[in-house]
Amino acid sequence: LLEKMADIRLKEAALIVGVVAACYWNSLFCGFVFDDVSAILDNKDLHPSTPLKNLFQNDFWGTPMSEERSHKSYRPLTVLTFRLNYLFSELNAVSYHFLNLVFHVVVCVVFLKVCKLFLDNRSSVVASLLFAVHPIHTEAVTGVVGRAELLSSIFFLAAFLSYTKSKGPDNTIVWTPIAVTVFLVAVATLCKEQGITVVGICCVYEVFIAQGYTLPVLLDTAVQILRGKGSIPFSMLQTLLKLIVLMFSTLLLVVVRVQVIQSQLPVFTRFDNPAAVSPSPARQLTFNYLLPVNAWLLLNPSELCCDWTMGTIPLVESLLDVRNVATLTFFCFLGSLVVFSLRYPGDSSKTVLMALCLIVLPFIPASNLFFPVGFVVAERVLYVPSMGFCILVAHGWKKLSNKSVLRKISWVCLAAVLFTHALKTLHRNWDWESEYTLFMSALKVNKNNAKLWNNVGHALENEKNFERALQFFIQATQVQPDDIGAHMNVGRTYKNLNKTKEAEESYMIAKSLMPQIIPGKKYAARVAPNHLNVYINLANLIRANESRLEEADQLYRQAISMRPDFKQAYISRGELLLKMNKPLKAKEAYLRALELDRTNADLWYNLAIVYIELKDPTEALKNFNRALELNPTHKLALFNSALLMQESGDARLRPEAKQRLLHYVKEEPQDANGYFNLGMLAMDDKKDTEAEAWMKKAIRLQPNFRSALFNLALLYSQTAKELMALPVLEDLLRYYPDHTKGLILKGDILMNQKKDIVGAKMCFEKILELDPNNVQGKHNLCVVYFEERDLIKAEKCLVETLALAPHEEYIQRHLNIVRSKIASLGATEQSSLPADGTATAAAGEKKNSFQNLKEVKSEEKTTQTTVDNDKGHSKSKKRTEKNHMDKETAKKSTKEIKDIEKKRVAALKRLEEIERILNGE
């Protein structure tokens, strides 16, 4: 390429670079707008974690080419450059816009080289400058997705330049440039489909420029051969051989391209291109009228619009439509140029012919000539055709400037055109600053396009300005009453505003506009995939009502019947079936979705949740792991798989569980749940200091974190820091006054450590107010009565407690102790023993008995403490472990005491239950 550009002067290249920089510097301040969102922000193919092979299996937007919803736009090399941008700057828009600017500079410089093949040096610079500043290019240069045009154009022009070197001395064939041309054509096509049209330009160049034939000469030669009066000249045979090689390679590329799209054209709706689904003659008249519309945009780019679909250009439905005059005028002018360029020899006709080829041939894929496209007019597809237009203008300017009378005027006009175009381009770039500015600028040009009203609404919706967004969505439904998407937008916005009734009404209108069921009809060919979301949105809305779950399921099934490959319908239905407590059917739905997309980490995660519902933790963990293989940063999979490992009780899994939780808190540093569960893991590993640190961090992030507060208090009580536990319990009970376990633990510490019988009594009485049948609270209150030396009340209390839990032996034992004490005290009072010694003994006996019961109760209470744990599942798992000990009835050996203590600590370390709500919608 550098060799081919060797005759370009440095000052010419510098001039082009300076002009492009002056016109497009402000594009660096623009963000990702319109199609950039799908191609960049939502495209997983840009992420380094996505295998490179996916770029060659998916379309431009990251959708597998095999899926019917794919747009079939196959541009892997363009996506590869996006991926390189992401590798260096992730989603920093500046780098993407800067690279587009660089590519536009390269195109302008290479285009200058092409111009010099047909124009003089001065005219070539004029053509290149006009191309550099033309406002029609802002969509291709300032819009990031326009990079497909830029890259394809670079290799398009390079392929043509290479082919111009295929003619050797004495008209011999030089095959190396032809081979390079074929390669560059393939590369251009992998950047954007229109790259293949350069082959047609090479063929025209070969016949009419390189060989110098004119149409009359070719016709005369053909007639002579057919009459048998002559033979095919050798030079013509050589030309035919070169053309056959070119056409065969092109045919091969076409076959490969058809195989890539699996012989399926993309599905477009009547809103994308209304003329494509219109009857004759409206279809033909409208398609023909679009040609002068595009030509006018090149000639007068004063009113530019980012979206020309829907009602932007009304259909030409009659021969009497005045717009047909424009069509007729355009074809007359184009025809005269074609006749001039093909009929007459000379440099001027050759220049015009090549300019016409650059205008017409690259535009053919967007012309609806062979297949319908998904737009009415698209400014970006005029990027290459504008090259031919610029050559025509420069050639005409050259003719005028050579005349002494018009020389000054021609220079003034040229300067005015370049200056005004540069200003327009600079101003137009600011329209691409944000989606709101872009679509508002489009509405100034065209108010009959419902899509533009919708897109302004989307931009406001993204800013959470739902009230104003609703106004634009409603206006879209008024501009285009049969626009399904507009009614869906209205419904979604009403839902965001918590106006459920209005949302359902809007969704029902959208649903009524969907095609009706026709037996044997394939819906996929008639229904846009995004329109099927009306069933999903409506079902998601009504399933909030428990009485309408079956109705919601019916809507999901209806969507699936219309498109069996509608993955989102299976996903949403699986979530609903889980809610309906039908895990087996949910499993079937997710497995069906996985048949359609096995690379979706969310699907594997959801299937893991189903296996948890089915009480199969082993399979659940396998599916969590599969989700993490596909997406190592999948937050919910990291969190819930770690908790599942923790719950398994397998100490070998704890290191991995810890690593996943650490990864989770790195991804979600503000989620207190991650730190809390790290604390619980540390408690399991008996790392008390570490556990305390994690718990405190969780509480700092969420001061009212119920489980963290209770378990931190429990940790202190286990590590002989009971007094440190009290302020933590005070915080817990301030937020949750009815926390039974917190009240029990606080009462226990007050009674045994602080000797605050009154405070302990208040705790236990509070428990019985909340739950009169709470055995543990009532039993501890009985102990308080004993501490207060009210044996009769203690006996009555224990009798009531035993009635609540007749199978609890420790309550019966304690009741026997109290009764024994009552009997002993009664016998003492009836004896006539010496006052001092007997009274002291009696007091001592009473004290000993009281102390014995207190120790028993203290130990009994502590071992009964229950702590619940939620492992991120939808079902609660509550376990209560009780160890009953009575120091008065049995003496324990040191080993037995240690064993009991281990069991007690294990029971205390049960995690508090957390409800994890999965985001399924």
Side-chain angles (χ1 to χ4, degrees), residues 119 276 285 439 612 712 784 862 887:
L119 297 168
L285 290 175
F439 298 128
I612 289 174
L712 179 58
V784 170
T862 309
K887 286 189 178 180

Side-chain angles (χ1 to χ4, degrees), residues 214-225:
T214 61
L215 190 60
V217 171
L218 289 175
L219 290 175
D220 183 62
T221 304
V223 169
Q224 293 296 328
I225 293 172

